[in-house]
Amino acid sequence: MTGDAAWLREAVTLAERNVAEGGGPFGAVIVAEGRVIARGQNRVTRDMDPTAHAEVTAIRAACRERGDFSLAGATLYTSCEPCPLCVSASLWARLDRVVYAADRHDAARGGFDDREFYELFARDPGTWPTRVEALGATAELDPRAPFDAWLAKADRVRY
């Protein structure tokens, strides 16, 4: 087994190991130039962190390893199709590719609601279980102030 299949096998093995250690069935590996930069496993219940998905933990570790918030040139291999959170994190990390094994339907069969989130985002936000609403500008609040400060900062790091 070589290439993508070998890296996916490693991600699946991490997921299986995580289940044996009491975690969720998700694992991820980030590879660049033929070497592993970072690995991640689902730590949601262990760390009481709903954002500690395998892909996110791998992205965090890879960014620390690289000393950069950009993972351009790297590929994320993950045991399951990334949920919307993880897809977004992959886009923000500027990964070149994301390659996955199981899909959202497999995750649903395993009791995970990834598919429901994909369906949720296709609906009107007014129907979501969590209200997401903008307040906008008021006499006491200028929502543009942080962006004005950012634009005025000559040494800002662009991303």
Side-chain angles (χ1 to χ4, degrees), residues 62-126:
C63 289
R64 282 191 303 272
E65 175 67 24
R66 269 201 173 169
D68 195 347
F69 58 83
S70 173
L71 296 176
T75 299
L76 167 65
Y77 294 93
T78 182
S79 62
C80 189
E81 179 179 6
C83 72
L85 167 74
C86 296
V87 168
S88 297
S90 298
L91 292 168
W92 279 111
R94 312 300 197 261
L95 286 157
D96 282 9
R97 295 173 66 215
V98 176
V99 181
Y100 61 89
D103 65 20
R104 66 184 77 174
H105 307 291
D106 297 315
R109 187 181 65 78
F112 294 87
D113 56 8
D114 302 43
R115 189 173 56 191
E116 290 179 30
F117 283 115
Y118 277 102
E119 293 168 1
L120 175 79
F121 290 129
R123 296 196 325 248
D124 175 1

